[in-house]
Amino acid sequence: MDSRTALIARLPKAELHLHIEGSLEPEMLFALAERNDVTIPFKSVDEVRAAYDFSNLQDFLDIYYKGMGVLLAEQDFFDLTWAYLERASADNVRHVEIFFDPQGHTERGVAFETVLGGINRALAKGEAELGITNRLILCFLRHLSEDEAFATLEQARPYLDRIHGVGLDSSELGHPPSKFARVFSAARALGLHVTAHAGEEGPPEYVYEALDLLKVERIDHGNRALEDKVLTQRIVDEGLTLTVCPLSNLKLCVIPEIAQSPVRRMLDAGIKATINSDDPAYFGGYVNANYQAVADALDLSDADLRSLARNSFAGAFLPEADKTRLIAEVDAA
Ligand code: ADE
Ligand code: ZN
């Protein structure tokens, strides 16, 4: 192992952009399809992996929503989340902020409580046995309506002790943040943290809307913000965290090659960029693989890698005292 790979492995990290349904590995897809008697259009794990060849976000989402169709019972959501936590632990991830897409399940007749129950049971076990702290972020699917988002927030209300924030994901183009301004306002009034996918495929205007209308505390992806100098400077001045997902960007053709990842430019501009895996089962790597890919392609220094790890804790929805302690661990690593 070279010294850069060793540093990546050793650094304590937070993962702030991870869709739990996107951690469904083909092996588990097959096992759950069998356990739940669900038909899937694949004969083998190899055939599944071969299908993970995407030209854009929608291409991926079409398969992602089909894949999650094998998740039916509370135990399925537990198994999924536990498998992710074990992998995160192997990458020395110390804190996770996990997105889940309840509408992808409730629209198939799976109860909100079933989804939340399984994810939460695994998160509690992960904290007790692996020492990984967590935050859970409910994402609204932006291709669905504002009314449906409000209905989902209503379903979440009895469980706000276990849900820490809301996010916005799914098909970005044609579904600007403005569509969800009111439901985000309602979520903020409930004391929830707020973040949103913006500028993955969508234009800088969507990032402005996420900031001005949704009043987000972080931007998920944010690649295209760099097209706008004023916006870039605002992100620097406001100290906003961007959750960048290098292997996702590559697989979804947001960038033509990993050397085009915006991470270097963001760090140089003074943006608090972080490295995340997004949907690791679909994009070919968990968090350390994402660090490694950009470190190699952009020739990141040890100081850059430490900055990225520090940013991951600084941008977390954690109390300041916890952030300070975890950042000190990065410095000591
Ligand atoms: N849902 C899961 N992964 C996503 C991504 N990268 N962008 C938008 N929605 C998603
Ligand atoms: Zn995402």
Side-chain angles (χ1 to χ4, degrees):
M1 197 190 289
D2 68 20
S3 66
R4 185 149 65 192
T5 304
L7 177 64
I8 291 169
R10 196 165 72 240
L11 284 172
K13 292 163 285 274
E15 178 148 56
L16 304 180
H17 186 154
L18 178 281
H19 302 264
I20 197 62
E21 296 90 347
S23 71
L24 178 60
E25 290 285 343
E27 290 77 8
M28 189 178 282
L29 178 80
F30 265 86
L32 291 181
E34 198 168 348
R35 185 157 104 189
N36 292 330
D37 205 13
V38 175
T39 308
I40 51 170
F42 304 107
K43 286 196 205 66
S44 69
V45 165
D46 286 346
E47 207 178 291
V48 178
R49 290 201 198 278
Y52 292 176
D53 181 24
F54 315 113
S55 341
N56 53 42
L57 174 59
Q58 193 60 49
D59 251 13
F60 154 69
L61 290 170
D62 292 343
I63 285 205
Y64 168 81
Y65 293 120
K66 282 202 190 97
M68 67 174 80
V70 301
L71 297 164
L72 293 178
E74 194 257 14
Q75 186 67 38
D76 304 338
F77 291 93
F78 172 88
D79 291 345
L80 175 73
T81 308
W82 181 248
Y84 163 69
L85 289 169
E86 286 195 306
R87 286 171 187 268
S89 180
D91 278 1
N92 206 13
V93 171
R94 306 285 303 280
H95 175 73
V96 294
E97 306 210 340
I98 290 184
F99 294 132
F100 74 121
D101 285 334
Q103 290 163 294
H105 312 297
T106 54
E107 70 181 5
R108 301 182 288 109
V110 178
F112 187 91
E113 290 72 18
T114 302
V115 180
L116 183 64
I119 294 173
N120 238 284
R121 189 156 62 85
L123 290 176
K125 183 175 155 93
E127 185 152 4
E129 295 182 14
L130 304 172
I132 300 179
T133 54
N134 63 75
R135 294 288 184 260
L136 188 56
I137 302 173
L138 179 161
C139 277
F140 301 116
L141 297 182
R142 69 201 304 159
H143 67 274
L144 300 179
S145 69
E146 181 194 35
D147 280 354
E148 286 163 299
F150 266 111
T152 304
L153 184 61
E154 206 47 43
Q155 284 181 307
R157 274 181 74 129
Y159 308 105
L160 293 186
D161 54 331
R162 289 187 265 162
I163 297 170
H164 306 96
V166 298
L168 185 64
D169 67 358
S170 194
S171 319
E172 187 179 10
L173 291 170
H175 302 285
S178 53
K179 183 175 160 186
F180 298 94
R182 285 181 293 204
V183 74
F184 267 65
S185 169
R188 289 198 315 275
L190 291 170
L192 290 162
H193 286 286
V194 289
T195 184
H197 285 54
E200 181 183 19
E201 287 187 342
E205 287 68 33
Y206 284 23
V207 180
Y208 278 109
E209 285 191 10
L211 293 174
D212 293 331
L213 304 179
L214 307 187
K215 305 193 193 305
V216 294
E217 298 160 76
R218 296 198 293 248
I219 297 281
D220 297 312
H221 297 293
N223 297 52
R224 293 195 59 194
L226 296 184
E227 293 170 19
D228 184 315
K229 282 202 174 65
V230 174
L231 179 58
T232 301
Q233 193 54 47
R234 178 170 170 192
I235 289 168
V236 174
D237 293 345
E238 294 184 9
L240 283 161
T241 297
L242 266 50
T243 65
V244 183
C245 305
L247 292 174
S248 164
N249 287 169
L250 181 68
K251 286 290 271 184
L252 301 186
C253 305
V254 167
I255 52 175
E257 53 182 15
I258 207 78
Q260 301 294 314
S261 168
V263 168
R264 166 92 276 156
R265 278 174 291 144
M266 287 177 181
L267 290 177
D268 289 348
I271 290 175
K272 289 184 179 154
T274 64
I275 301 290
N276 306 272
S277 69
D278 204 4
D279 302 282
Y282 291 89
F283 302 147
Y286 286 76
V287 76
N288 282 4
N290 277 272
Y291 271 80
Q292 186 76 50
V294 281
D296 291 345
L298 305 175
D299 197 24
L300 298 185
S301 66
D302 287 3
D304 293 328
L305 294 169
R306 285 179 192 278
S307 293
L308 290 164
R310 260 189 236 109
N311 291 347
S312 74
F313 292 116
F317 295 148
L318 279 172
E320 286 305 320
D322 290 351
K323 294 188 194 186
T324 305
R325 176 177 49 79
L326 289 157
I327 289 170
E329 290 184 30
V330 173
D331 295 337

